[in-house]
Amino acid sequence: MRLGWVAWVGALLAVAAFSGCRESKTDQLEYRSEAPEETAVATKDVFAGAADGSSEGVSAGIRDYFQRLGRATRSEGEIDADAFLSVDAMLTVMDSAGILEGMSRKEERLFREAFRKRSSVFGASLKQMAFDQHRILKVEDLGKDDRMVFVRLYDNDFNVTMQMRWWLVKTDAGWRAYDFEDLSVGIRSISLMSIVMKSGLGGKSEPWVSDLLRLVQMMQGIDYTDLDEVEGLRAPLKKMRGHPLPIDVKRFTSFLMVTVMQSAEEFSESLEELEAAKNGGYDSPLYHYLKGHSLMGLERYSEALVEFEKHSEVLGWDSDVLESVSDCHLHLGDTESARKAALQGLEDNPRSINCLASLVAASTPDQIRSEEVGKMFDESGQVEWAYEVAFDYLFALEQEEQAEVLFEVIKDKYPESELAEYCAAMLEDEETEE
């Protein structure tokens, strides 16, 4: 599981870790606080409500902003943070939020200087938050040159989506972000900076701050497909949770621990962790998503479907969760519903390779051979890789007949490819074992 929001947290903490002339504001931006209930309503209205998911009616400048950001996250080399973030606007909003209160004039001046000098750290974090596609669902006008934008980001390599809210300001150089929030976890940049910075005002910061910094630094360098590396997060997580924590940080550590447990196939333990978090009052929309996957790990597929339905009531249906829904139906023997969910996932994101694999697994031989399914593979953006993932998935499910049919399609399309040779070898080994 790839946690794109981890990159944001790392950047925020690295910048906010500086401890401390109040400067004149460059604009009239203000921090707009929101109760959790208000955020929940706004999130549900946009992602599970009437929004059609199109970027129609969005200004060309805002559309261009996210297109450039997506390309930058996928390109080689570093990202120029100034091309996407306004440090001046961020400082203005931090001031408006009262984050700088309690600092002496000297401390505030030193903080501003340090923030400007080290703001390039955001570029590295933007890079780690790589996304292939995006969908702008809503733009809210907050006043002159100030917009709040709800966006769904897609990471097709990991079949992960992120529901994000961005605050943009129009500068002389174009649109730039000054605040952002992962709505599935509930981490907002300005509020997190406030928590970390205020803990250190007037003296030594609380122990959990340095522990959290070390934890996030570890997370930014981890390959989340390597189970041993993910397991390495368990000990620092336990250490950090030995301290009294703000509720936002509790949520962060709790759901990260669930991820570690699920990677270790400790599904019963992960359910206990989720329930403890909810009873402690720091659950989030991600609760039902994670619970659904823990139940899948325990082969309690009907219960998992209920949790995914609850997840969709807040964050809507996307290719990420629909792939899991399809797999649940498949394991329950309902291939019609499994195929319907996979098709719905591909409608949301035509480049979802995992949904393609689920579709093939729920298809008849004639459907696998169909022109319709062939076109879906062509639209995936990584055609050969998509066929390989689907072929491997059929093998994992021991669907030999469908695997042979898919091999015929692959051999017809790529007769001399390494993929065709790989599939032939896999089928030959299977026959030998039998």
Side-chain angles (χ1 to χ4, degrees):
M1 180 180 182
R2 182 172 185 180
L3 305 176
W5 45 270
V6 168
W8 283 120
V9 177
L12 301 177
L13 295 176
V15 175
F18 295 106
S19 58
C21 135
R22 195 169 298 271
E23 300 175 5
S24 61
K25 295 184 178 181
T26 56
D27 50 46
Q28 297 302 312
L29 295 177
E30 291 184 0
Y31 177 76
R32 292 172 170 82
S33 62
E34 207 173 65
E37 295 78 13
E38 293 176 295
T39 299
V41 169
T43 302
K44 184 175 181 178
D45 285 348
V46 174
F47 292 99
D52 63 4
S54 73
S55 58
E56 198 173 322
V58 179
S59 72
I62 290 178
R63 191 181 297 113
D64 177 68
Y65 175 87
F66 288 101
Q67 289 172 345
R68 288 189 301 105
L69 179 58
R71 288 195 298 268
T73 65
R74 287 301 189 195
S75 64
E76 294 183 5
E78 298 180 355
I79 291 181
D80 177 9
D82 289 338
F84 300 101
L85 302 170
S86 170
V87 174
D88 287 340
M90 292 176 80
L91 285 167
T92 296
V93 175
M94 289 168 66
D95 193 0
S96 168
I99 294 177
L100 308 185
E101 290 178 4
M103 289 185 180
S104 67
R105 293 177 64 85
K106 181 179 179 181
E107 286 174 333
E108 185 175 338
R109 177 177 57 79
L110 290 174
F111 170 77
R112 289 177 180 274
E113 291 174 356
F115 191 91
R116 291 181 189 282
K117 288 179 181 178
R118 300 299 294 273
S119 62
S120 60
V121 71
F122 284 106
S125 293
L126 282 169
K127 192 73 174 179
Q128 292 187 24
M129 192 185 156
F131 62 94
D132 311 273
Q133 296 172 266
H134 69 277
R135 182 170 294 181
I136 300 174
L137 274 74
K138 182 180 180 181
V139 178
E140 192 171 317
D141 190 337
L142 301 179
K144 183 180 179 182
D145 299 333
D146 189 8
R147 302 290 184 272
M148 182 165 60
V149 188
F150 292 83
V151 187
R152 179 174 281 148
L153 307 180
Y154 299 84
D155 178 347
N156 292 320
D157 286 346
F158 290 84
N159 193 46
V160 169
T161 62
M162 289 176 62
Q163 289 81 6
M164 296 283 297
R165 177 162 60 169
W166 299 68
W167 284 262
L168 303 181
V169 60
K170 192 171 186 179
T171 69
D172 292 340
W175 290 99
R176 297 292 186 270
Y178 64 86
D179 199 0
F180 32 81
E181 179 179 21
D182 183 325
L183 291 162
S184 64
V185 181
I187 294 179
R188 182 173 173 182
S189 62
I190 299 298
S191 60
L192 184 60
M193 286 183 189
S194 177
I195 291 171
V196 176
M197 287 175 58
K198 286 183 177 179
S199 73
L201 287 179
K204 187 177 179 181
S205 63
E206 296 192 33
W208 66 263
V209 175
S210 57
D211 285 349
L212 181 56
L213 285 169
R214 282 192 291 270
L215 176 65
V216 171
Q217 287 171 355
M218 286 181 62
M219 294 167 69
Q220 287 182 302
I222 278 182
D223 175 3
Y224 285 91
T225 63
D226 187 321
L227 300 184
D228 290 334
E229 289 193 29
V230 176
E231 180 62 30
L233 295 173
R234 192 188 296 261
L237 267 173
K238 285 184 176 180
K239 181 176 183 293
M240 184 178 161
R241 292 185 350 154
H243 305 297
L245 301 173
I247 195 165
D248 287 0
V249 181
K250 279 186 178 181
R251 183 189 299 117
F252 172 83
T253 56
S254 180
F255 290 110
L256 181 57
M257 182 62 84
V258 170
T259 300
V260 173
M261 291 174 171
Q262 288 181 344
S263 297
E265 299 187 359
E266 298 171 359
F267 300 114
S268 295
E269 293 83 351
S270 65
L271 282 175
E272 292 174 3
E273 174 69 30
L274 285 165
E275 290 309 308
K278 188 171 185 179
N279 292 337
Y282 47 97
D283 66 315
S284 76
L286 199 62
Y287 167 84
H288 295 293
Y289 174 90
L290 290 173
K291 187 175 181 180
H293 284 95
S294 292
L295 290 167
M296 284 184 72
L298 294 170
E299 299 184 6
R300 292 159 58 180
Y301 300 111
S302 295
E303 294 173 70
L305 288 171
V306 172
E307 296 304 319
F308 291 136
E309 180 76 34
K310 291 178 180 177
H311 170 84
S312 74
E313 290 173 2
V314 177
L315 292 173
W317 293 110
D318 58 57
S319 56
D320 183 341
V321 70
L322 283 165
E323 180 235 331
S324 298
V325 168
S326 177
D327 293 347
C328 284
H329 284 303
L330 188 66
H331 282 96
L332 290 168
D334 186 352
T335 54
E336 183 178 346
S337 295
R339 199 167 194 273
K340 181 180 178 181
L343 287 169
Q344 189 179 348
L346 289 166
E347 184 178 347
D348 173 67
N349 180 13
R351 294 194 174 191
S352 173
I353 289 174
N354 285 25
C355 282
L356 269 174
S358 296
L359 175 66
V360 170
S363 296
T364 64
D366 285 343
Q367 287 171 331
I368 293 173
R369 295 188 187 99
S370 69
E371 183 178 344
E372 176 191 14
V373 170
K375 286 182 178 178
M376 290 180 184
F377 274 94
D378 290 339
E379 292 173 1
S380 68
Q382 303 180 71
V383 187
E384 284 194 59
W385 174 240
Y387 275 115
E388 183 175 343
V389 170
F391 185 84
D392 286 343
Y393 186 51
L394 293 175
F395 251 76
L397 295 173
E398 298 181 354
Q399 294 185 357
E400 187 176 339
E401 181 183 5
Q402 285 98 324
E404 289 178 349
V405 172
L406 189 62
F407 172 55
E408 292 173 11
V409 174
I410 292 169
K411 190 167 56 174
D412 181 61
K413 200 161 191 172
Y414 304 104
E416 305 298 328
S417 68
E418 292 183 2
L419 175 59
E421 293 177 6
Y422 166 77
C423 294
M426 290 282 285
L427 289 169
E428 185 176 340
D429 289 344
E430 182 72 14
E431 291 177 2
T432 302
E433 289 178 9
E434 292 177 355

